[in-house]
Amino acid sequence: MIERVRGFRDIFGEELEKFNKIREVSREVLKAFNYKEVILPVVEYEELYKRSIGDFTDVVEKEMFSFTDKGGRRLALRPEGTAGVVRFFIENKLYYKRPYSKLFYEGPMFRYERPQKGRYRQFYQVGAEFFGVLEPISDLEIILISEEILKRLKVSYKLHINSIGCRVCRPKYLEELKKFLREREGFCKDCQRRREKNPLRVLDCKEKSCQVLVEDAPKIDDYLCKECKEHYQKLKELLGEFKVEFYENPKLVRGLDYYTKTVFEFEVEGLTVLAGGRYDYLVEELGGIPTPAVGFALGIDRLVPLIEPPKREEEAYLLVFFGNGNYRYLQRILNSLKPKKFEIYPKANLKKALSFANKEGFKFVVIIGEDEVKGNYITIKDMQRGEQKKVYML
RNA sequence: GAGGGUGUAGCUCAGCGGUAGAGCGGGGGACUGUGGAUCCCCAGGUCGCGGGUUCGAAUCCCGUCGCCCUCCCCA
């Protein structure tokens, strides 16, 4: 038997209903904030991701679905959405067309990593990007949208925010932090590796011993430049104004290199379900004219287990026909039922039909037997009440 | 990439060296046009896959693959 490929999955039934509910709610909210949808390719040049996400991030280094096509091009399945949107933004020179642009997308992303809870090799995201505005009001909008989506889905989350600085202050901080880490001994195996490559990660290592070592490490707050500090301060004020509850988390780090200043995560039961931040240099770095931006992405797959399935839609009718071959009569019934949701039971067996209707949750069973045909009526049985009545045809 | 768990009927699982089991579901019937209750009957699964040990393996050993969980990292 040929089975599913590792890390890939089929989505069906109630799971799919929840999946679609998340998509619908997300686009409802995004459209309300006047974001325009864009559908982008799943494949891009590998280079796009290397340059945006960062050559030495885990996502690029070991999780990319990259390959060479028959024309010798180095391509990759998109591991995330922002890079593609930015490529689109630049390729279409949207920065010349309007003062700012608000875009959203949804679809599958691919990462070659070990499958785990809430983690698949093909997973689905909805994301939004707000280009062209440097002011914290844009961060606020992105966070408000995120919050609105999660609220409508009725999940209870915790919002963590942080500022990781800009091209001016971040490098300075990282240097200091690395210096600090180099001078200590006794880190765990992971942290010894992280020290140089990903020093911020050392700060939230789970090992007790590392936590102790890191207690008086330099804090990003003390290194933020004036502009970053003001931006962060202003954002927090705005969040306060808008009654957005948040937790400042100086250890919050993102794994993608393009982030600057604000980063945030909505966390539910220990899993991040939605995350994002600013990326003020990415457009420029990928060849566009300098354009600040901020965005988020939510993981549909991670939200699915956390929400209630949508309520059953309209009531469905199950038709049972044993009218002695008088299909003309059946057809008349069908015409009058057209706007309703119905299904014809494929056997002329009332008992089985009722049992089936019961199991499948049909609200009504329409009985069309010989008596009905003869008397020019149909019998409609209400499966919940157990009552039935005759309805005469005109 | 590392560690742990697991893989037996559609589903949930029991069996743990001697001829494959239960519950649920599914199909049929008791009840020829009335369900959700009850009772009866049936289904027939390469025991993940490949090797090995053994007179004999679902049961032991090795390998392999999938799934789940943790770490790494991330939505």
Side-chain angles (χ1 to χ4, degrees):
Chain A
M1 191 174 71
I2 298 173
E3 306 166 308
R4 284 192 321 256
V5 176
R6 176 184 172 83
F8 291 76
R9 70 207 180 98
D10 309 310
I11 306 170
F12 181 70
E14 185 174 275
E15 198 181 14
L16 180 60
E17 285 180 34
K18 296 203 277 183
F19 193 95
N20 282 332
K21 178 175 167 185
I22 294 162
R23 295 173 52 209
E24 280 157 26
V25 166
S26 302
R27 45 174 58 234
E28 240 171 60
V29 174
L30 258 354
K31 282 181 177 170
F33 279 83
N34 205 26
Y35 280 65
K36 307 291 185 203
E37 181 170 12
V38 54
I39 297 179
L40 296 173
V42 164
V43 173
E44 299 272 3
Y45 285 101
E46 183 182 34
E47 185 65 16
L48 174 65
Y49 301 116
K50 285 193 172 173
R51 280 174 51 190
S52 54
I53 298 167
D55 261 314
F56 304 110
T57 56
D58 276 27
V59 170
V60 165
E61 226 169 34
K62 46 185 229 199
E63 296 172 2
M64 274 236 278
F65 265 97
S66 39
F67 59 96
T68 306
D69 77 359
K70 288 180 180 171
R73 287 173 276 255
R74 282 300 294 170
L75 307 177
L77 262 37
R78 37 136 97 142
E80 59 102 39
T82 299
V85 179
V86 171
R87 190 227 82 220
F88 164 81
F89 179 80
I90 296 169
E91 200 163 339
N92 289 278
K93 300 195 168 37
L94 291 187
Y95 38 74
Y96 288 141
K97 295 181 180 166
R98 45 176 59 86
Y100 58 86
S101 299
K102 308 204 286 184
L103 302 167
F104 81 90
Y105 60 87
E106 69 166 88
M109 306 294 160
F110 305 83
R111 284 182 205 172
Y112 194 89
E113 47 186 346
R114 198 136 184 162
Q116 213 182 108
K117 183 183 185 180
R119 171 175 299 181
Y120 308 97
R121 307 256 254 216
Q122 175 175 342
F123 58 102
Y124 296 80
Q125 291 189 335
V126 174
E129 317 292 349
F130 187 163
F131 293 99
V133 177
L134 188 58
E135 284 74 23
I137 187 83
S138 56
D139 309 39
L140 175 74
E141 177 167 302
I142 286 292
I143 289 174
L144 287 178
I145 291 170
S146 308
E147 206 184 31
E148 182 61 23
I149 292 171
L150 296 179
K151 272 185 182 159
R152 289 199 196 182
L153 290 171
K154 296 191 171 61
V155 307
S156 43
Y157 50 79
K158 229 171 153 180
L159 167 61
H160 302 270
I161 65 168
N162 190 25
S163 176
I164 59 171
C166 62
R167 130 204 299 178
V168 179
C169 51
R170 177 141 77 143
K172 224 178 286 174
Y173 171 66
L174 287 178
E175 248 342 287
E176 287 301 316
L177 181 59
K178 277 189 202 168
K179 210 173 111 197
F180 173 89
L181 296 174
R182 256 181 241 134
E183 286 162 0
R184 318 280 139 147
E185 285 310 325
F187 288 104
C188 69
K189 227 177 83 201
D190 284 327
C191 282
Q192 291 185 26
R193 180 173 51 80
R194 283 192 278 236
R195 264 204 290 208
E196 287 304 316
K197 198 189 132 192
N198 203 347
L200 292 169
R201 283 280 168 208
V202 179
L203 297 179
D204 63 354
C205 179
K206 289 188 185 71
E207 292 291 329
K208 274 259 164 53
S209 52
C210 293
Q211 283 179 16
V212 175
L213 281 170
V214 132
E215 257 166 20
D216 54 346
K219 297 196 167 45
I220 180 75
D221 256 13
D222 304 328
Y223 287 82
L224 289 182
C225 64
K226 187 159 169 281
E227 191 193 321
C228 287
K229 211 170 265 177
E230 282 174 9
H231 185 100
Y232 192 35
Q233 194 51 43
K234 182 73 187 164
L235 173 62
K236 286 187 281 188
E237 279 171 37
L238 284 170
L239 290 171
E241 293 290 335
F242 281 77
K243 303 266 183 292
V244 177
E245 196 185 340
F246 63 90
Y247 299 84
E248 273 190 80
N249 181 355
K251 292 171 181 170
L252 178 58
V253 181
R254 317 265 51 242
L256 281 38
D257 281 355
Y258 54 64
Y259 284 113
T260 54
K261 288 184 178 164
T262 313
V263 293
F264 63 87
E265 279 187 10
F266 285 80
E267 173 244 312
V268 181
E269 293 167 20
L271 259 193
T272 301
V273 297
L274 186 160
R278 298 202 65 84
Y279 46 96
D280 291 334
Y281 310 126
L282 186 56
V283 174
E284 181 184 354
E285 278 164 10
L286 291 178
I289 66 165
T291 308
V294 55
F296 79 82
L298 71 78
I300 300 182
D301 315 73
R302 287 192 175 179
L303 249 9
V304 164
L306 302 173
I307 70 164
E308 289 299 314
K311 298 247 182 312
R312 286 246 170 277
E313 350 68 290
E314 19 38 306
E315 45 235 14
Y317 292 72
L318 183 71
L319 274 62
V320 206
F321 178 71
F322 44 101
N324 217 1
N326 193 339
Y327 289 100
R328 174 119 186 75
Y329 193 75
L330 176 63
Q331 206 237 333
R332 273 176 64 202
I333 310 298
L334 254 35
N335 281 336
S336 60
L337 268 174
K338 228 168 224 164
K340 310 260 200 229
K341 181 172 170 182
F342 72 89
E343 182 170 326
I344 298 173
Y345 191 70
K347 287 176 189 161
N349 186 323
L350 218 213
K351 193 185 181 65
K352 298 235 171 82
L354 285 167
S355 172
F356 179 76
N358 202 326
K359 261 172 276 177
E360 299 285 315
F362 284 88
K363 185 120 189 269
F364 300 102
V365 170
V366 178
I367 302 168
I368 309 153
E370 289 177 41
D371 296 348
E372 282 79 1
V373 173
K374 221 174 286 170
N376 197 39
Y377 67 93
I378 59 177
T379 300
I380 297 181
K381 174 153 186 163
D382 183 319
M383 293 304 285
Q384 272 140 48
R385 293 155 172 269
E387 300 163 355
Q388 62 186 49
K389 60 183 180 189
K390 297 176 178 177
V391 175
Y392 286 88
M393 307 305 292
L394 298 178

